[in-house]
Amino acid sequence: MRNENSLYTVVAIVATVLFLLVSAFFFDWDYSQSIFSSLKDNVILSSVISVVSYILIGFSISYVNLRCFSYSARSVVLYGTYLMLALSVSGAFVFSQYQIAALLVIWAIMYLFKFVAYEKLKYSHLFMSMIYISTAAMLVPQLLVYLLLFIFFSFGRREYSGAKILYTIFGAVIIPWIYLFTYLFLTDGPSMGETMQLYFAEISNINPTIAGLSIHGVVYYSVVLLIMLRAMLYFRAVYSQRNRAQRVSINFSLALSVSSLVMMVLYFNPNDFMLAIPLFVPFAFSMFDYFKNGNKGEAGIAFTLLFVLTAFYRISALIG
């Protein structure tokens, strides 16, 4: 019976994701949001590359779960949950820096987890984590908060050399910026000062609005918010029952989830909310653990609500 229910779950997720993918070609997305100028006038190419990026995100988030978190072997529910959240964002099929940032965040999480939780201390894991998260923060300025959290949690090992950690972090964090400033210099782009001014202006551009949000959108985001909060509470409730490695992952996931939730509130705009694509990554892990290991009745209702409302929200947008 349980295998049969699992089969139904997998089929439901696949059907929803396929519907979301196909429906992308019927929406009038704002392709000016993409930083890749060559794709702005090629809707089909942008959408195809975007679909490929989500496939890579799906495989990556599944791999990281199995290698680091091990909440469950059925990772289809994990990346199915992430895709249902991410693909409901307006403009989700515009290939842009946000999909790249989401992919980088996933791999940054894996390498930091390896550095903090694995018995064998490898500073190369910290270096790779900081390279990935620094690049993500360079592409999406709001993810600077993630970078600061990664730096904080990098000191979570019981034995480490503080000097080596600082040197490793500094070297890894500045590398993406060196490449960026070199490129801008060679192409006569904005100066370093102008670039940093634009960067922090993007972070300080806090102007949340619900203008343009339909009643269906209000219901959808309200339910998603409630499920997110319930998943985080579940994480805290099972904290003492997990091993050390899983407790490390829980603390890290909760910190990222709380910061993501704050950023979602501060930068919410239903007409331009692609920032949520990387921000949904930590929520996917916490919601997945809740769906798979929480109270079967409650978690089942929550997952069904997410599934139904995601499809309904997309259909209502398609018809409207």
Side-chain angles (χ1 to χ4, degrees):
M1 183 67 179
R2 183 165 183 169
N3 290 334
E4 187 176 338
N5 290 334
S6 299
L7 177 62
Y8 289 148
T9 300
V10 172
V11 171
I13 291 174
V14 171
T16 301
V17 171
L18 287 176
F19 171 72
L20 294 171
L21 292 175
V22 173
S23 69
F25 296 95
F26 295 92
F27 285 90
D28 185 21
W29 300 126
D30 179 12
Y31 281 80
S32 63
Q33 298 179 71
S34 176
I35 63 172
F36 304 98
S37 56
S38 60
L39 297 177
K40 290 180 181 178
D41 299 323
N42 196 327
V43 175
I44 294 179
L45 179 60
S46 181
S47 297
V48 169
I49 296 177
S50 184
V51 169
V52 172
S53 71
Y54 285 118
I55 293 174
L56 290 175
I57 290 173
F59 280 114
S60 297
I61 204 169
S62 174
Y63 178 80
V64 171
N65 174 62
L66 292 176
R67 289 295 300 271
C68 299
F69 297 102
S70 299
Y71 292 142
S72 172
R74 294 188 176 277
S75 295
V76 64
V77 178
L78 171 60
Y79 60 75
T81 299
Y82 172 77
L83 288 176
M84 282 193 290
L85 292 171
L87 300 187
S88 296
V89 175
S90 177
F93 287 92
V94 179
F95 181 65
S96 65
Q97 66 270 33
Y98 297 99
Q99 289 93 338
I100 298 175
L103 194 59
L104 292 171
V105 167
I106 293 170
W107 287 98
I109 289 174
M110 184 190 76
Y111 278 107
L112 185 65
F113 180 87
K114 285 184 175 182
F115 175 74
V116 174
Y118 279 23
E119 290 186 9
K120 188 174 182 179
L121 177 62
K122 287 188 176 181
Y123 287 95
S124 59
H125 289 158
L126 176 62
F127 184 82
M128 293 303 298
S129 177
M130 291 300 159
I131 280 276
Y132 284 133
I133 198 61
S134 178
T135 304
M138 184 182 69
L139 292 172
V140 181
Q142 291 86 349
L143 296 184
L144 180 62
V145 174
Y146 277 10
L147 175 59
L148 297 177
L149 285 174
F150 272 69
I151 293 174
F152 175 79
F153 275 92
S154 65
F155 290 91
R157 282 197 69 100
R158 292 175 180 173
E159 69 288 338
Y160 61 83
S161 169
K164 282 187 178 181
I165 286 183
L166 291 175
Y167 294 151
T168 303
I169 291 174
F170 179 76
V173 167
I174 66 170
I175 286 177
W177 292 95
I178 291 175
Y179 277 105
L180 174 63
F181 291 135
T182 301
Y183 171 79
L184 293 176
F185 175 77
L186 294 176
T187 57
D188 295 324
S191 66
M192 183 185 299
E194 291 172 336
T195 301
M196 297 311 297
Q197 185 177 2
L198 292 172
Y199 183 83
F200 287 106
E202 182 70 18
I203 296 176
S204 62
N205 185 25
I206 299 175
N207 186 28
T209 179
I210 59 172
L213 185 64
S214 66
I215 186 63
H216 307 113
V218 172
V219 173
Y220 175 75
Y221 282 113
S222 298
V223 172
V224 168
L225 176 61
L226 289 175
I227 295 176
M228 287 177 176
L229 292 174
R230 181 65 185 91
M232 287 191 288
L233 289 174
Y234 169 78
F235 247 12
R236 292 305 304 170
V238 299
Y239 179 83
S240 60
Q241 304 170 19
R242 303 298 173 87
N243 58 43
R244 178 183 176 275
Q246 289 182 325
R247 287 199 296 270
V248 170
S249 70
I250 287 176
N251 285 333
F252 190 45
S253 295
L254 280 175
L256 289 176
S257 295
V258 171
S259 63
S260 296
L261 184 58
V262 172
M263 284 189 282
M264 285 182 182
V265 172
L266 293 178
Y267 296 100
F268 184 79
N269 184 339
N271 302 311
D272 182 13
F273 200 38
M274 292 180 68
L275 173 62
I277 293 174
L279 295 183
F280 278 137
V281 168
F283 281 120
F285 287 109
S286 58
M287 292 173 73
F288 170 63
D289 192 24
Y290 169 59
F291 288 148
K292 295 300 295 182
N293 301 317
N295 179 276
K296 296 302 178 183
E298 178 188 317
I301 293 174
F303 181 80
T304 302
L305 272 176
L306 179 64
F307 167 67
V308 172
L309 288 176
T310 298
F312 182 73
Y313 182 45
R314 178 53 64 92
I315 292 173
S316 65
L318 181 61
I319 296 175

